[in-house]
Amino acid sequence: MSPSCPTASCSSATTRGGPCGAWRGWVLRSASACLQAILAAVVLAGTLAMPARAAAPAAALAPWLAVEWPDQLGGRDSLDGHRGQRIVLVVVEARRLALAGRWAEALAARAPGGAVLTLADAPPDVPVDPDRFTALLRKRVPAGVRVWMDPRRELSRALARDTAEPNLLLVAPDGSLAGQFRGRAAAPLLDTVAAAVLALPPATAGEVAR
């Protein structure tokens, strides 16, 4: 199952236009003059190792493969809907979505051919109204990009993930959880993630057509 509009997935064919191009424009516009100094610092911070955190067991993702997540445009989609592809699911707080956009762009260039999907949740300390959450994403997310929504943090709570920084879940074409990472799209983490994605088994034509 794939939505009728593009998802927040990127490949080498969409780097110059479509969802990846939309992410790029949004990321650039979001870096206002007052934020540039902060961004310079956090990019450096992104190159440092994140605090150690126990990885979720590989089997922990299995119950979530068929879950259909709503997006800000009224669609629904699931990991099962992309079965047969190499998937990177970026789970991050909605207020840090620009970091997910940087991952989508970077992986489109470094590890093309897969799907980079984004799931936005809410900060754990902020009461969330689902309608306001949806309205916020509609306002902030670039046109043509679908972002899955988890305002109650169901997935991050189940997997014990801290989404103040992007969490990347690598899903193999057969639906198995193949890797977990946390941090920003900068070296050395970017190098590690790109290599891990490229090491996943390639999808077959029959699987992609599923």
Side-chain angles (χ1 to χ4, degrees):
M1 177 198 71
S2 296
S4 57
C5 295
T7 64
S9 61
C10 298
S11 67
S12 56
T14 59
T15 302
R16 295 184 181 178
C20 280
W23 274 124
R24 180 184 298 108
W26 181 53
V27 169
L28 291 175
R29 290 193 301 272
S30 69
S32 61
C34 64
L35 287 176
Q36 288 175 359
I38 298 174
L39 288 174
V42 298
V43 166
L44 175 61
T47 67
L48 305 177
M50 299 304 298
R53 193 174 186 86
L61 189 64
W64 299 94
L65 295 175
V67 172
E68 292 191 340
W69 300 102
D71 63 47
Q72 84 281 10
L73 300 179
R76 302 185 75 86
D77 200 4
S78 67
L79 289 170
D80 263 351
H82 297 265
R83 183 75 69 96
Q85 293 179 280
R86 296 181 296 193
I87 300 170
V88 179
L89 178 63
V90 184
V91 187
V92 68
E93 288 182 9
R95 61 188 175 185
R96 298 182 181 272
L97 273 174
L99 300 178
R102 294 188 181 99
W103 272 113
E105 290 182 2
L107 291 176
R110 297 285 302 277
V116 182
L117 308 171
T118 302
L119 177 70
D121 63 19
D125 54 346
V126 177
V128 175
D129 176 89
D131 291 335
R132 293 185 64 183
F133 188 83
T134 302
L136 174 66
L137 292 194
R138 285 177 179 166
K139 180 178 179 180
R140 296 185 60 184
V141 175
V145 175
R146 289 182 181 269
V147 171
W148 299 352
M149 302 185 300
D150 183 14
R152 295 184 176 87
R153 300 179 57 85
E154 295 180 74
L155 182 61
S156 58
R157 284 190 288 107
L159 301 184
R161 298 294 88 190
D162 177 359
T163 56
E165 293 287 335
N167 285 256
L168 284 73
L169 305 179
L170 273 59
V171 185
D174 64 1
S176 61
L177 180 59
Q180 303 170 64
F181 303 91
R182 182 174 183 270
R184 307 188 182 202
L189 181 60
L190 174 56
D191 300 329
T192 301
V193 173
V197 173
L198 292 173
L200 293 175
T204 66
E207 287 176 319
V208 173
R210 178 180 178 271

